[in-house]
Amino acid sequence: MAFEALDELLDESLHLPIAGRVYRVPAPSAEVGLRTQAIVHAAAVAADGGRADEQILADAAERDLYADVLGSAHAEMVADGVPWPALKHSAITTMVWISQDKAAAERYWNSGGDPSRMAPNRQARRNPPSAAASSTRSRGSTSGTSTRPVAPAPARGSQKRQR
């Protein structure tokens, strides 16, 4: 079996619908992809209270990252007068695609960027898709602790010793 041509296996673009038009965002170059992943990682570290690589974040501020990740779609969006929130949402969606995958980018796009709309709702978490899965008993703890209540010991002196 031989390797198939990679460009035939991968869909190397995003198609983002905005105001009745679909913009095709091409796959980024390796340089843009690697830089985007580094920036997303550094931002996540900083958001979690860690110390992010300041050089990476400074480089992001110096360059037009949105134009880089959107590629040719950026110029088309600007020429068409796409509003800033839509362009920003498109760029961040593309960054999610670059740093994660197309499914994550689609979830982000469809949530409108609202994290609470991306998480499954409470009802979905409580009722899994399979009824069999919800009726399966979970394994007991192997931590060595017991959750079974222990009967209280009789009080001293309340019972007479039998001979």
Side-chain angles (χ1 to χ4, degrees):
M1 177 152 99
F3 287 99
E4 294 184 41
L6 190 58
D7 57 345
E8 293 176 17
L9 297 174
L10 300 177
D11 180 8
E12 297 183 352
S13 62
L14 284 183
H15 300 273
L16 305 177
I18 302 172
R21 178 163 179 203
V22 177
Y23 293 89
R24 182 186 171 275
V25 179
S29 68
E31 177 190 357
V32 170
L34 292 169
R35 186 166 43 99
T36 302
Q37 285 191 330
I39 291 166
V40 168
H41 176 71
V45 168
D48 285 342
R51 193 148 202 256
D53 185 337
E54 294 175 22
Q55 170 124 18
I56 291 174
L57 295 178
D59 284 348
E62 292 173 10
R63 299 181 189 180
D64 189 359
L65 182 62
Y66 288 179
D68 288 346
V69 297
L70 289 171
S72 58
H74 181 270
E76 293 173 18
M77 290 177 184
V78 170
D80 289 347
V82 169
W84 168 247
L87 187 131
K88 179 179 176 183
H89 187 63
S90 299
I92 294 172
T93 298
T94 303
M95 291 171 65
V96 171
W97 172 51
I98 293 168
S99 63
Q100 294 181 37
D101 59 25
K102 197 174 266 191
E106 185 176 329
R107 285 190 304 275
Y108 181 82
W109 177 267
N110 291 335
S111 75
D114 181 355
S116 68
R117 291 174 54 190
M118 289 178 62
N121 66 31
R122 189 175 189 181
Q123 184 70 21
R125 288 190 310 262
R126 288 186 174 200
N127 297 321
S130 169
S134 63
S135 65
T136 304
R137 291 185 58 184
S138 62
R139 285 183 33 183
S141 171
T142 58
S143 66
T145 60
S146 173
T147 59
R148 194 176 303 171
V150 177
R156 291 186 176 218
S158 64
Q159 291 183 347
K160 294 184 182 178
R161 289 177 67 183
Q162 293 186 4
R163 294 184 187 193

